[in-house]
Amino acid sequence: MSTAGIQSTISADPAVRPTHDVAILGAGGLTGRELLDLLQAHPGLRPRFITSDRNAGRSVGEIFPQLEPAYPELCFSAHSTDIPPEMPVFLAVPNESALELTPHFIKQGNPVVDLSGSFRLHDRQIWEEFYRLPHSAFEFMDRVVFGLPELFRDKISVARAVANPGCYPTGSIVPLYLLGNLREQIQSVVIDAKSGVSGAGGRTEDAGFSFQSVYENFRAYKILKHQHQPEIQEYAAHKLAGNFPCEIVFTPHLLPIFRGILSTIVIHWDAAHIPTADSILNTIRSGAAQEPFLRVYDEPEQIELSKVQHTNYVDLAVRSRGSVTVIVSAIDNLVKGAAGQAIQNMNLMLGIPETTGLVASFA
Amino acid sequence: MSTAGIQSTISADPAVRPTHDVAILGAGGLTGRELLDLLQAHPGLRPRFITSDRNAGRSVGEIFPQLEPAYPELCFSAHSTDIPPEMPVFLAVPNESALELTPHFIKQGNPVVDLSGSFRLHDRQIWEEFYRLPHSAFEFMDRVVFGLPELFRDKISVARAVANPGCYPTGSIVPLYLLGNLREQIQSVVIDAKSGVSGAGGRTEDAGFSFQSVYENFRAYKILKHQHQPEIQEYAAHKLAGNFPCEIVFTPHLLPIFRGILSTIVIHWDAAHIPTADSILNTIRSGAAQEPFLRVYDEPEQIELSKVQHTNYVDLAVRSRGSVTVIVSAIDNLVKGAAGQAIQNMNLMLGIPETTGLVASFA
Amino acid sequence: MSTAGIQSTISADPAVRPTHDVAILGAGGLTGRELLDLLQAHPGLRPRFITSDRNAGRSVGEIFPQLEPAYPELCFSAHSTDIPPEMPVFLAVPNESALELTPHFIKQGNPVVDLSGSFRLHDRQIWEEFYRLPHSAFEFMDRVVFGLPELFRDKISVARAVANPGCYPTGSIVPLYLLGNLREQIQSVVIDAKSGVSGAGGRTEDAGFSFQSVYENFRAYKILKHQHQPEIQEYAAHKLAGNFPCEIVFTPHLLPIFRGILSTIVIHWDAAHIPTADSILNTIRSGAAQEPFLRVYDEPEQIELSKVQHTNYVDLAVRSRGSVTVIVSAIDNLVKGAAGQAIQNMNLMLGIPETTGLVASFA
Amino acid sequence: MSTAGIQSTISADPAVRPTHDVAILGAGGLTGRELLDLLQAHPGLRPRFITSDRNAGRSVGEIFPQLEPAYPELCFSAHSTDIPPEMPVFLAVPNESALELTPHFIKQGNPVVDLSGSFRLHDRQIWEEFYRLPHSAFEFMDRVVFGLPELFRDKISVARAVANPGCYPTGSIVPLYLLGNLREQIQSVVIDAKSGVSGAGGRTEDAGFSFQSVYENFRAYKILKHQHQPEIQEYAAHKLAGNFPCEIVFTPHLLPIFRGILSTIVIHWDAAHIPTADSILNTIRSGAAQEPFLRVYDEPEQIELSKVQHTNYVDLAVRSRGSVTVIVSAIDNLVKGAAGQAIQNMNLMLGIPETTGLVASFA
């Protein structure tokens, strides 16, 4: 239960003094709060303009008392797009708003990371089916890069607009992608994911998220209907010749905790092409070897939320038996699943070292 | 968070006045406690002899203050098998002890419900592999009936010895069995089960079950190695011509709660024989129709632990899409997963109405 | 986490077959739910008419799935006072409604237990100050008996209307009252009480009771302003010549749990009249000796919520040092603090043995 | 649930580049972990030598996975005192060890902050009564400064050895000390303190701290016997002519959460000298005005653990009525109650700006 694991003192290096003032639109929610929290220790990005209609005119310290010392002067403004064209923008707003704002900032030229789901899917029909909205700006879809650095680092580095991945997809796509060409031998994939309340989209005022309805309880939700399934389906196929070899089954659950997502991924291999346990493990290890935020453990029983909370890691481990492989992965939905990955993307877009503000270092 | 749901006042009927004094061996643990709790309201069974080496000589009220009023005189004895041959016996002891005690009571003629895993599997090699013990009394295996009334009600009614099912298997076998002959069309089954600490076998003194290691945390355990997998595998095939059509993948997880197991069961159907959503639902509904402890809901999102805690129900619901069916089931691991089912079995063995002490009724 | 501790099979005695059909007005909330839960096992009281505007027309099982088996036919009605004059009534409604309904049923002659705070204080000015309401029926105050059996058993037995005590007052008044005449030597009393969310009056929809605002958090509330302070102040003086010798300081706190209230009561004695530790302990023990629902422990460290949850007990223990005495008490706010005590009161009013439905017994 | 609130980028000032390598003895526990966590972001202190017999030879990342990125090379050593005389030392060891080690490092000249209770009390008899140990080095007591900067900043700045205060005393002494000379008018003080498990001294292996004994439960402990009472009693009198005017009553409780201590302090004033509410509030506000880590709120209902978790703040607020004043204070027991305050003390001892590593700043 700590966050310092992701604080940076690279700033001790005068060469990387704060240079970019950034804007956070929709900074009054959990994601906005996490961005402010992490950016305290980022030497290259300084929150300068933050909006929240509900909290307009109030100081950061009033709304987030733990963050008071870091932002003694900063106050929330009412919603506004009056932002200089060079200022980097984090969008932590609902899909309806992001559908307008992301195109606006693309046109105006601001580097923008959109944390909503608005620009993550390239099949308009599927997007509108799962988000239950008409997509009013689909022509911009191809101008927004999917912000999963482990897959799209090069594209992100030259992008002006990034769609930050969903929390569930981050914990599911990365392990599947690490299987490389072995993915072609997959017969079926079943993902059972469990998230704390901060990742399950609960609003404080929803009865479904009252203490008494969550505590000493557990349930699944949006079964075969969750909008993150098509996102996993699309990007788990990255660098494959065609589509992903099967329809992925994804089931989200609500954990009576605050923070973290654990995903249990069960793969059945094509009986005619079952890879060896070693080849699977080696493929995953080599794929993860150079990645600063991936940790591969020896035993899947070692994977637990307490190891990744308040970090930008994806922890994972694998076990195989016969034609079955089980991969367990864990992330912090608010960090690698949202604000941390958004900063990682913004670092790449701005040419700042990728891990700045996310990994401490005494180098 | 209530238990009265399973209290009986059938006892208002003078015809069912307390008749059987029963013994509980190993009554000092969670299962023993739950048996004492439930039996308070059972008009036909009266705990008379209870053992616990650790608590020998102390009263029920000293060890379980909530139960003090129901058992003002009852005290724990040190372990002993000096029990009259007609006295019904509940065994809530470790496997090592049950391997000796169950045969002993069978020979002596006591009606016995063994809550351990000792006599649940008919493949000796698999039993010894998963329980990591030599099985010293395998010749008794066929004399012990698997105590899942929804499958073996008739056999249990004439049995002298019953092996009470494991908590995870109860929540998994019942839904699969309800599929009847549709099971023959199954291609794969992935069961992702999550249990509160009372069902995950944690001892109070295990560091792995300290508040700080469980709270605000979540993890999987015994991946592809849990002893309940072969139990599910064997009995999920009940009344099928041969074995279950595929190897079932079972992954248990530890929830930061006390009580309850939710199982998410994902079925892939043989592409050549995909049943319709209606046929699946109808098969399940008709199979459950006459069962006093099965509840089928319309939507799988309605299944949650809070609905079954302190009850003897198996709640379940199903959703299908294409070649995939998801069944979500929920039980209280200490009731339908242990003590409640043990009482249900003992009722059947003794010719007491099956639901006595488990379902209230003003009839 | 059990409730059977309070289930009765006294019903095994055919002499106490169900006789009274009862009404519960406002049965859709936590208190109404607890009443239905406990009454399942009460052989003398049968819920027959229950109201809840929000749940009108729906069955008990739809709203409270754990209670489905006990009430297969019972449904909620919209609010109505059309109840036969002899039918006992439990009022689990807000103060505004109880101010009208309690007088109505008094006039109509129904035995009524009012679980609201409307008729608990005999100083109108104080009542209106703390409840922030005009009291529209103060002339009925003297016709309603304060339903704390340990203080007013005889009056309750002949009463037609009872004001069920508040949850905090129950855990505080009883220990203070047990001090008998020693109370005259008290210089100051500081009560620090901590309640689970079910006792802190939180509505599911209050943001202040969302999972995220309660979990891993703790706070005090209504400091020097809680409406239960004057209730404690008034009744803690019971059987004293005059008023309580000092102004009692009462501070409530919100625990991140569901059920239970622990009160830490610190007494400073008049320096000139400090009773001995033995005299204090003996006075408490003798006062509690004949009470079916009071348990006095040797050490205050033994008092914990888990021992009283789902029971009708007040557990307490005392330690003294110099001029200071600390009493720790624990109750279940929904049982002895609400529904259980309401049943205890109704039993007394109807001439049913006081502990019926609240203490199991194999006698 | 965040820590970045206490991260520093003062390091942006090149003048404060890492200069001191520090040692942490007993770094394998919760306090050691918190020191490593906070020091990641401290530009002036760099953990170089850390000991833990249990974890000897293992890396920081193995034991504390969240801290892996900050300490890629650092490993735990077995216990040793072979440390250069100029290296600052944090002692996070049991009292028995600190009784030897603190004198050792004093003699050797290392700046040392002792987080144990060994050198906090100046009455040997009381120390030995409450700690249940003979004090083998009492002659060193006067050479160790009590490390509460709000009281002893000047002494700490010139000290070589500091006794870091207990977690409970920090949250109680500060509010009482802020009352200044008003303390002379106090008649009685009752402190009711509630701590998460990380502050209640529970070992992972204690049954009393198992998930099942803490969750959905609450209890008081060490009533009138806790070793922090004499510590509060001694230092709450700081700068008073004589001793504290009364014996302070202190009762600790165990909260089912991980982190934080909330203290409810009830003061009765001498009837002949009751200060006005304004004078009390103004005295507290003026005393806190210049303190970097004290926050005074308008309403005591605003004080909650979530506002101070992972920060070095003492939050407090006050309400008075008649002769009674209630002060509510909150701290993070692992930060201001342990590791954070230890760093604050070490900063003072080494001439580093006091808030370095504890308060972020973009100045």
Side-chain angles (χ1 to χ4, degrees), chain C residues 125-140:
Chain C
Q125 191 181 335
I126 289 179
W127 192 94
E128 294 183 338
E129 172 194 347
F130 279 87
Y131 283 93
R132 300 198 176 134
L133 274 178
H135 197 301
S136 56
F138 205 79
E139 67 276 19
F140 284 86

mmCIF file of all heavy atoms in Angstrom, chain C residues 125-140:
data_model
loop_
_atom_site.group_PDB
_atom_site.id
_atom_site.type_symbol
_atom_site.label_atom_id
_atom_site.label_comp_id
_atom_site.label_asym_id
_atom_site.label_seq_id
_atom_site.Cartn_x
_atom_site.Cartn_y
_atom_site.Cartn_z
ATOM 1 N N GLN C 125 -38.051 20.338 24.564
ATOM 2 C CA GLN C 125 -37.099 21.277 23.961
ATOM 3 C C GLN C 125 -35.851 20.528 23.469
ATOM 4 O O GLN C 125 -35.382 20.726 22.356
ATOM 5 C CB GLN C 125 -36.732 22.337 24.986
ATOM 6 C CG GLN C 125 -35.957 23.510 24.405
ATOM 7 C CD GLN C 125 -35.597 24.518 25.494
ATOM 8 O OE1 GLN C 125 -36.282 24.596 26.527
ATOM 9 N NE2 GLN C 125 -34.527 25.264 25.277
ATOM 10 N N ILE C 126 -35.368 19.648 24.328
ATOM 11 C CA ILE C 126 -34.180 18.862 23.950
ATOM 12 C C ILE C 126 -34.501 17.981 22.750
ATOM 13 O O ILE C 126 -33.736 17.905 21.788
ATOM 14 C CB ILE C 126 -33.698 18.021 25.148
ATOM 15 C CG1 ILE C 126 -33.079 18.939 26.208
ATOM 16 C CG2 ILE C 126 -32.686 16.968 24.694
ATOM 17 C CD1 ILE C 126 -32.600 18.228 27.448
ATOM 18 N N TRP C 127 -35.686 17.332 22.784
ATOM 19 C CA TRP C 127 -36.047 16.467 21.652
ATOM 20 C C TRP C 127 -36.023 17.263 20.360
ATOM 21 O O TRP C 127 -35.395 16.863 19.371
ATOM 22 C CB TRP C 127 -37.441 15.844 21.850
ATOM 23 C CG TRP C 127 -37.729 14.736 20.869
ATOM 24 C CD1 TRP C 127 -37.538 13.404 21.059
ATOM 25 C CD2 TRP C 127 -38.209 14.884 19.518
ATOM 26 N NE1 TRP C 127 -37.873 12.699 19.927
ATOM 27 C CE2 TRP C 127 -38.289 13.576 18.963
ATOM 28 C CE3 TRP C 127 -38.569 15.981 18.730
ATOM 29 C CZ2 TRP C 127 -38.720 13.341 17.651
ATOM 30 C CZ3 TRP C 127 -38.998 15.746 17.424
ATOM 31 C CH2 TRP C 127 -39.068 14.448 16.896
ATOM 32 N N GLU C 128 -36.652 18.427 20.359
ATOM 33 C CA GLU C 128 -36.743 19.206 19.115
ATOM 34 C C GLU C 128 -35.396 19.771 18.691
ATOM 35 O O GLU C 128 -35.106 19.905 17.506
ATOM 36 C CB GLU C 128 -37.800 20.312 19.287
ATOM 37 C CG GLU C 128 -39.206 19.717 19.463
ATOM 38 C CD GLU C 128 -40.307 20.767 19.557
ATOM 39 O OE1 GLU C 128 -40.011 21.930 19.907
ATOM 40 O OE2 GLU C 128 -41.475 20.419 19.273
ATOM 41 N N GLU C 129 -34.524 20.046 19.674
ATOM 42 C CA GLU C 129 -33.187 20.552 19.344
ATOM 43 C C GLU C 129 -32.376 19.462 18.635
ATOM 44 O O GLU C 129 -31.757 19.696 17.595
ATOM 45 C CB GLU C 129 -32.460 20.990 20.622
ATOM 46 C CG GLU C 129 -30.992 21.345 20.382
ATOM 47 C CD GLU C 129 -30.196 21.456 21.685
ATOM 48 O OE1 GLU C 129 -30.818 21.495 22.773
ATOM 49 O OE2 GLU C 129 -28.936 21.454 21.606
ATOM 50 N N PHE C 130 -32.419 18.237 19.194
ATOM 51 C CA PHE C 130 -31.553 17.191 18.661
ATOM 52 C C PHE C 130 -32.131 16.503 17.433
ATOM 53 O O PHE C 130 -31.400 16.061 16.553
ATOM 54 C CB PHE C 130 -31.235 16.169 19.748
ATOM 55 C CG PHE C 130 -30.136 16.608 20.680
ATOM 56 C CD1 PHE C 130 -30.429 17.388 21.804
ATOM 57 C CD2 PHE C 130 -28.812 16.281 20.432
ATOM 58 C CE1 PHE C 130 -29.416 17.811 22.657
ATOM 59 C CE2 PHE C 130 -27.801 16.696 21.286
ATOM 60 C CZ PHE C 130 -28.101 17.469 22.401
ATOM 61 N N TYR C 131 -33.468 16.421 17.357
ATOM 62 C CA TYR C 131 -34.074 15.767 16.185
ATOM 63 C C TYR C 131 -34.407 16.771 15.095
ATOM 64 O O TYR C 131 -34.819 16.406 13.994
ATOM 65 C CB TYR C 131 -35.311 14.961 16.596
ATOM 66 C CG TYR C 131 -34.948 13.658 17.265
ATOM 67 C CD1 TYR C 131 -34.847 13.579 18.653
ATOM 68 C CD2 TYR C 131 -34.668 12.526 16.502
ATOM 69 C CE1 TYR C 131 -34.482 12.384 19.268
ATOM 70 C CE2 TYR C 131 -34.305 11.327 17.115
ATOM 71 C CZ TYR C 131 -34.220 11.268 18.495
ATOM 72 O OH TYR C 131 -33.859 10.087 19.106
ATOM 73 N N ARG C 132 -34.244 18.064 15.413
ATOM 74 C CA ARG C 132 -34.478 19.118 14.412
ATOM 75 C C ARG C 132 -35.855 18.988 13.763
ATOM 76 O O ARG C 132 -35.989 19.056 12.534
ATOM 77 C CB ARG C 132 -33.380 19.077 13.346
ATOM 78 C CG ARG C 132 -31.998 19.297 13.950
ATOM 79 C CD ARG C 132 -30.986 19.682 12.895
ATOM 80 N NE ARG C 132 -29.692 19.989 13.496
ATOM 81 C CZ ARG C 132 -28.516 19.527 13.038
ATOM 82 N NH1 ARG C 132 -28.494 18.749 11.964
ATOM 83 N NH2 ARG C 132 -27.391 19.855 13.620
ATOM 84 N N LEU C 133 -36.822 18.716 14.590
ATOM 85 C CA LEU C 133 -38.214 18.590 14.141
ATOM 86 C C LEU C 133 -39.104 19.183 15.230
ATOM 87 O O LEU C 133 -38.757 19.109 16.409
ATOM 88 C CB LEU C 133 -38.616 17.120 14.033
ATOM 89 C CG LEU C 133 -38.358 16.279 12.801
ATOM 90 C CD1 LEU C 133 -38.852 14.860 13.069
ATOM 91 C CD2 LEU C 133 -39.058 16.873 11.597
ATOM 92 N N PRO C 134 -40.258 19.756 14.837
ATOM 93 C CA PRO C 134 -41.265 20.028 15.876
ATOM 94 C C PRO C 134 -41.877 18.687 16.296
ATOM 95 O O PRO C 134 -42.079 17.808 15.457
ATOM 96 C CB PRO C 134 -42.284 20.915 15.162
ATOM 97 C CG PRO C 134 -42.126 20.587 13.719
ATOM 98 C CD PRO C 134 -40.676 20.232 13.518
ATOM 99 N N HIS C 135 -42.153 18.501 17.605
ATOM 100 C CA HIS C 135 -42.765 17.246 18.050
ATOM 101 C C HIS C 135 -44.285 17.422 18.073
ATOM 102 O O HIS C 135 -44.828 18.125 18.918
ATOM 103 C CB HIS C 135 -42.246 16.830 19.428
ATOM 104 C CG HIS C 135 -42.520 15.397 19.743
ATOM 105 N ND1 HIS C 135 -43.791 14.877 19.781
ATOM 106 C CD2 HIS C 135 -41.686 14.358 19.990
ATOM 107 C CE1 HIS C 135 -43.727 13.594 20.066
ATOM 108 N NE2 HIS C 135 -42.462 13.241 20.192
ATOM 109 N N SER C 136 -44.955 16.761 17.126
ATOM 110 C CA SER C 136 -46.381 17.026 16.903
ATOM 111 C C SER C 136 -47.291 16.196 17.807
ATOM 112 O O SER C 136 -48.508 16.272 17.685
ATOM 113 C CB SER C 136 -46.704 16.697 15.440
ATOM 114 O OG SER C 136 -46.322 15.354 15.169
ATOM 115 N N ALA C 137 -46.724 15.357 18.651
ATOM 116 C CA ALA C 137 -47.588 14.479 19.460
ATOM 117 C C ALA C 137 -47.008 14.293 20.860
ATOM 118 O O ALA C 137 -47.023 13.200 21.414
ATOM 119 C CB ALA C 137 -47.749 13.133 18.755
ATOM 120 N N PHE C 138 -46.477 15.369 21.416
ATOM 121 C CA PHE C 138 -45.764 15.224 22.688
ATOM 122 C C PHE C 138 -46.674 14.737 23.820
ATOM 123 O O PHE C 138 -46.223 14.112 24.770
ATOM 124 C CB PHE C 138 -45.087 16.546 23.083
ATOM 125 C CG PHE C 138 -43.916 16.332 23.988
ATOM 126 C CD1 PHE C 138 -42.688 15.913 23.472
ATOM 127 C CD2 PHE C 138 -44.021 16.515 25.358
ATOM 128 C CE1 PHE C 138 -41.603 15.689 24.312
ATOM 129 C CE2 PHE C 138 -42.945 16.291 26.198
ATOM 130 C CZ PHE C 138 -41.734 15.876 25.667
ATOM 131 N N GLU C 139 -47.974 14.977 23.662
ATOM 132 C CA GLU C 139 -48.891 14.532 24.729
ATOM 133 C C GLU C 139 -48.919 13.012 24.867
ATOM 134 O O GLU C 139 -49.367 12.482 25.882
ATOM 135 C CB GLU C 139 -50.308 15.061 24.457
ATOM 136 C CG GLU C 139 -50.973 14.474 23.224
ATOM 137 C CD GLU C 139 -50.592 15.183 21.911
ATOM 138 O OE1 GLU C 139 -49.559 15.889 21.900
ATOM 139 O OE2 GLU C 139 -51.299 15.001 20.909
ATOM 140 N N PHE C 140 -48.392 12.299 23.856
ATOM 141 C CA PHE C 140 -48.362 10.834 23.943
ATOM 142 C C PHE C 140 -47.086 10.313 24.617
ATOM 143 O O PHE C 140 -46.966 9.125 24.883
ATOM 144 C CB PHE C 140 -48.499 10.215 22.543
ATOM 145 C CG PHE C 140 -49.899 10.256 22.004
ATOM 146 C CD1 PHE C 140 -50.369 11.372 21.328
ATOM 147 C CD2 PHE C 140 -50.757 9.175 22.208
ATOM 148 C CE1 PHE C 140 -51.665 11.404 20.840
ATOM 149 C CE2 PHE C 140 -52.052 9.210 21.719
ATOM 150 C CZ PHE C 140 -52.512 10.328 21.035
#
